[in-house]
Amino acid sequence: MMRRPFLLLAGLILSGLALGPAPAAATRIKDIAALQGVRDNQIVGYGLVTGLQSTGDTLRNSQFTEQSLQSMLDRLGINVRDQRLRTRNVAAVMVTANLPAYIEPGSRVDVSVNSMGDATSLRGGTLLMTPLSGGDGQVYAVAQGALLVSGFSATGQAESLISGVATAARIPNGALVERSVAGTFRDLPGMSLELKNPDYRTAVLIADAINAYTVQKYGHRAASPRDYRTVVLSRPGHVGRTRFMAEIGELQVQPDIPAKIVIDQRTGTVVIGRNVQISTVAVTHGDLTVRITETPQVSQPAPFSDGQTTVVPRTDIQAAEQTGRLAIVSGPDLQTLIRGLNNVGMKPTDVIAILQAVKTAGALQAELVIQ
């Protein structure tokens, strides 16, 4: 049997493992934390896409598309209630978008369009005017425009070719904002930074960096870590909120990375964080391969006899077990750990099994996340 090469995606692969372990790069505060209370709002709507080249919904199978088309034509003064529609150029879709914080009417946002029926492709279609509502039922934007589809689907009598997803599309700047979300930046009761990856040490580093800057420039300590997720800010009185956030957002810190291993069993991907360590253990792993081959044969009766032609089964079973190598695996740092795992020479599925066994043995000093 052929062995697939072991592919290990490590957290610091871009920092040059061949040259030895390197310290974590400094990161701007604005990239690892966000101001609490400033967030997007999701909006959604139901609409119709027209102009498809016989790739839309089958109205007999997608009755909601037929009902929507009849209702739209009724509003336009065309009565088709008693007629059986047979068009294939229309598709029912769901339209979604994210409404940024503090956006004003007249602005535009991108929208995503996804088919609901049995349409095969949305390429070449145009979304008709679709109201987009929030969770409170209010209409905040209206979407309309030509669809941008990255995938395509081509089907013939004997073969079909599909690339990407042809039933999902986007409209850049396709929604026009009609209503602003309640609240402004000035209405925030306080200013707090919320870490995107909560960690006690990272919260302390952010507070120290902000205090070092504000003490030097304003003579005022402006940050205090409340917990592992939140850093409370105290803005100097003579500085505006926008300017203050712009200044501290450019400050750089080296965030602490928790010791974690993430395993995706579907793809065989293993991602190991920089701070992962493995206590010294001995590892051996062997593969047992069982191969069953069916080679049925035809048995013919003798000439001029009363026998019948039959199929005689022939089964060949072979079993082989590869010899496992006993290797010492330890990891005081990421580079040593990866070298030890590569020396064992296993497939990704074997590496996943060994990491789970090492965690059970108590030698893996990290959190193991299995997806």
Side-chain angles (χ1 to χ4, degrees):
M1 297 178 62
M2 296 182 61
R3 285 182 173 270
R4 293 183 299 170
F6 169 51
L7 176 60
L8 185 63
L9 300 179
L12 291 182
I13 194 169
L14 296 180
S15 62
L17 292 177
L19 301 178
T27 306
R28 297 180 302 177
I29 292 180
K30 64 191 300 183
D31 296 326
I32 60 177
L35 188 61
Q36 199 172 56
V38 179
R39 62 178 182 84
D40 293 348
N41 293 275
Q42 297 177 336
I43 52 179
V44 64
Y46 170 83
L48 291 175
V49 170
T50 61
L52 304 177
Q53 192 175 4
S54 299
T55 58
D57 294 340
T58 304
L59 299 186
R60 179 175 299 180
N61 298 331
S62 304
Q63 296 183 0
F64 50 85
T65 305
E66 183 178 10
Q67 294 174 4
S68 302
L69 182 58
Q70 291 174 347
S71 299
M72 182 193 67
L73 293 177
D74 282 345
R75 291 195 302 269
L76 297 177
I78 304 174
N79 186 8
V80 292
R81 287 293 179 180
D82 298 331
Q83 301 182 16
R84 187 67 179 178
L85 303 178
R86 299 183 181 275
T87 179
R88 284 295 308 274
N89 298 338
V90 180
V93 294
M94 292 300 297
V95 184
T96 59
N98 286 333
L99 202 62
Y102 313 129
I103 194 169
E104 296 295 334
S107 303
R108 289 186 172 272
V109 295
D110 299 343
V111 298
S112 298
V113 181
N114 298 276
S115 174
M116 291 183 59
D118 57 355
T120 58
S121 176
L122 298 179
R123 180 175 293 273
T126 299
L127 176 68
L128 301 182
M129 185 174 63
T130 303
L132 303 180
S133 305
D136 55 359
Q138 299 290 332
V139 175
Y140 287 91
V142 177
Q144 183 172 275
L147 303 182
L148 181 61
V149 183
S150 58
F152 69 90
S153 174
T155 304
Q157 294 182 353
E159 189 175 357
S160 62
L161 177 62
I162 299 176
S163 177
V165 180
T167 54
R170 289 186 61 84
I171 307 179
N173 295 327
L176 184 64
V177 178
E178 300 289 347
R179 183 195 301 266
S180 60
V181 180
T184 62
F185 191 38
R186 298 178 180 273
D187 296 334
L188 291 177
M191 299 182 64
S192 300
L193 291 177
E194 186 172 358
L195 276 66
K196 299 178 181 178
N197 295 313
D199 183 81
Y200 287 106
R201 177 170 174 78
T202 303
V204 172
L205 293 175
I206 291 177
D208 292 343
I210 295 176
N211 288 331
Y213 173 79
T214 55
V215 167
Q216 180 181 4
K217 186 170 184 179
Y218 302 111
H220 172 73
R221 294 177 61 88
S224 174
R226 185 172 64 188
D227 49 42
Y228 76 113
R229 184 184 297 272
T230 308
V231 176
V232 181
L233 302 178
S234 176
R235 176 178 55 90
H238 59 283
V239 181
R241 293 192 175 195
T242 302
R243 178 176 294 275
F244 182 66
M245 289 303 303
E247 291 177 353
I248 66 173
E250 293 297 326
L251 301 178
Q252 295 187 350
V253 297
Q254 292 184 358
D256 191 36
I257 303 176
K260 183 179 296 186
I261 297 179
V262 180
I263 294 175
D264 190 339
Q265 292 183 329
R266 294 170 298 179
T267 61
T269 302
V270 180
V271 180
I272 301 180
R274 177 173 60 93
N275 295 325
V276 173
Q277 296 184 6
I278 292 183
S279 302
T280 302
V281 291
V283 176
T284 181
H285 189 80
D287 291 336
L288 175 63
T289 303
V290 179
R291 179 173 298 174
I292 302 176
T293 305
E294 297 286 350
T295 56
Q297 298 180 356
V298 179
S299 176
Q300 295 284 358
F304 306 105
S305 66
D306 295 333
Q308 296 181 355
T309 301
T310 59
V311 177
V312 180
R314 290 290 186 270
T315 303
D316 182 23
I317 301 179
Q318 297 179 354
E321 186 175 5
Q322 297 182 1
T323 303
R325 294 185 301 170
L326 187 65
I328 303 297
V329 177
S330 63
D333 54 63
L334 180 61
Q335 183 180 7
T336 306
L337 172 59
I338 293 178
R339 186 185 302 114
L341 291 176
N342 285 333
N343 287 338
V344 181
M346 298 170 297
K347 297 181 295 182
T349 54
D350 299 332
V351 174
I352 293 174
I354 285 182
L355 288 176
Q356 291 175 335
V358 172
K359 178 65 174 179
T360 304
L364 180 60
Q365 314 306 329
E367 179 185 359
L368 189 62
V369 180
I370 301 177
Q371 298 179 347

